[in-house]
């Protein structure tokens, strides 16, 4: 079985809309790596999509927990990118 | 403490059910907060609000806030409900309610729950106007 080399990312709200309207995207890990920190992943996405204004301020959830910048995300993990909350 | 916590997708909020749920023989006070769609925001005329939630985490966070409130105040019954989907002017979108022995705790807990819901629960809203739309990125 081939090892997964990508991270699945679910998108909500303005981020979903600004990243093409799809509720999911995949982040390909660099060849030879199996994990990446949340900070590195967000920095890479900001470079790839500089026009998406909520990327630098979004919160990230993994496995139903909000995670911090230094959390490590492994290939096969499912992430959720969340723009600033606005309930109520 | 008994609690009713849910995200209601599409259908109207059942306010009567929430009020009935909050009744408790040891509670002398029930405080509720109802948030509705209003017609203007920052000078723009609003015609519709579209709400979206990351439901699994939203429910988890609302339960956590309910636990925090229960640790601070002696609450008998608690309701936290938020709508998702499209809502027109006047539609209820969020209902918070608590029942306690006396009114001070009920007011304080209700205020705490709605304020923290706005900050900590993954729910988003998009405003629609006569000419365009925009996602709201703050929780005033």
């Amino acid at each position: 079985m081939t090892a997964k080399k990508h991270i699945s990312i679910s998108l909500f709200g303005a981020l979903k809309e600004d990243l093409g309207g799809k509720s999911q995207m995949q982040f390909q890990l660099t060849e030879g790596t199996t994990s990446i920190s949340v900070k590195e992943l967000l920095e890479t996405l900001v470079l790839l999509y500089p026009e998406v204004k909520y990327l630098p301020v979004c919160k990230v959830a993994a496995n139903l927990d909000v995670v911090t910048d230094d959390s490590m995300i492994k290939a096969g993990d499912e992430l959720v990118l969340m723009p600033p909350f606005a309930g109520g | 403490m008994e609690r009713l916590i849910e995200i209601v997708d599409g259908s109207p909020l059942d306010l009567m059910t929430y009020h009935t749920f909050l009744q408790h023989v040891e509670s002398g006070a029930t405080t509720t907060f109802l948030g509705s769609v209003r017609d203007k925001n920052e000078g723009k005329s609003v015609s519709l609000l579209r709400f979206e939630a990351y439901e699994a985490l939203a429910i988890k966070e609302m339960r956590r806030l309910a636990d925090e409130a229960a640790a601070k105040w002696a609450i008998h019954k608690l309701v936290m409900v938020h709508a998702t989907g499209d809502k027109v002017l006047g539609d209820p979108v969020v209902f918070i309610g608590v029942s306690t022995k006396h009114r001070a705790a009920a007011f304080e807990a209700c205020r705490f729950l709605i304020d923290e819901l706005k900050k900590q629960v993954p729910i988003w809203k998009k405003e629609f106007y006569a000419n365009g739309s925009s996602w709201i990125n703050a929780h005033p």
Side-chain angles (χ1 to χ4, degrees):
Chain A
M1 196 173 78
T2 313
K4 282 189 177 176
K5 293 194 175 70
H6 67 260
I7 293 164
S8 296
I9 301 177
S10 296
L11 304 163
F12 284 96
L15 277 174
K16 179 170 68 181
E17 210 165 272
D18 293 348
L19 283 164
K22 291 182 183 167
S23 56
Q24 279 218 321
M25 64 185 281
Q26 294 199 335
F27 181 87
Q28 213 62 37
L29 286 166
T30 312
E31 195 64 38
T33 61
T34 54
S35 66
I36 186 171
S37 74
V38 168
K39 185 169 187 283
E40 284 175 295
L41 184 144
L42 285 178
E43 284 172 353
T44 307
L45 289 176
V46 168
L47 286 174
L48 287 170
Y49 307 101
E51 73 285 3
V52 178
K53 67 175 180 177
Y54 290 120
L55 267 177
V57 294
C58 72
K59 287 187 178 178
V60 180
N63 303 321
L64 270 189
D65 273 319
V66 178
V67 294
T68 54
D69 272 1
D70 56 357
S71 302
M72 294 305 290
I73 307 299
K74 302 183 300 296
D77 277 354
E78 294 189 1
L79 280 199
V80 179
L81 297 190
M82 304 181 291
F85 304 156
Chain B
M1 178 182 74
E2 287 180 65
R3 61 183 76 185
L4 191 169
I5 293 173
E6 62 185 10
I7 298 287
V8 176
D9 187 27
S11 49
L13 298 192
D14 186 355
L15 304 182
M16 191 57 74
T17 294
Y18 310 147
H19 279 284
T20 303
F21 178 87
L22 288 166
Q23 292 171 3
H24 190 278
V25 291
E26 293 173 37
S27 290
T30 298
T31 298
T32 64
F33 171 83
L34 177 66
S36 307
V37 180
R38 69 169 185 274
D39 63 348
K40 284 194 173 54
N41 189 28
E42 296 181 344
K44 292 180 184 168
S45 291
V46 175
S47 55
L48 179 88
L49 289 184
R50 179 168 295 159
F51 287 90
E52 188 177 324
Y54 174 18
E55 184 168 342
L57 185 58
I59 294 286
K60 184 182 173 189
E61 290 296 293
M62 288 197 285
R63 286 179 181 153
R64 184 179 59 74
L65 291 173
D67 289 341
E68 273 188 46
K72 292 180 185 212
W73 298 281
I75 298 170
H76 299 133
K77 296 277 192 89
L78 180 152
V79 175
M80 291 183 90
V81 177
H82 203 295
T84 54
D86 289 355
K87 297 290 165 185
V88 298
L89 299 185
D91 278 352
V93 296
V94 57
F95 182 98
I96 306 288
V98 287
S99 299
T100 61
K101 190 171 181 183
H102 298 294
R103 69 185 182 285
F107 277 121
E108 288 169 19
C110 191
R111 176 71 188 250
F112 167 83
L113 288 167
I114 183 60
D115 286 354
E116 295 306 311
L117 178 146
K118 283 171 169 272
K119 289 180 209 160
Q120 300 192 40
V121 178
I123 297 172
W124 300 276
K125 68 173 161 241
K126 188 175 189 182
E127 286 182 346
F128 289 80
Y129 323 106
N131 300 310
S133 61
S134 69
W135 288 96
I136 303 304
N137 67 347
H139 39 73

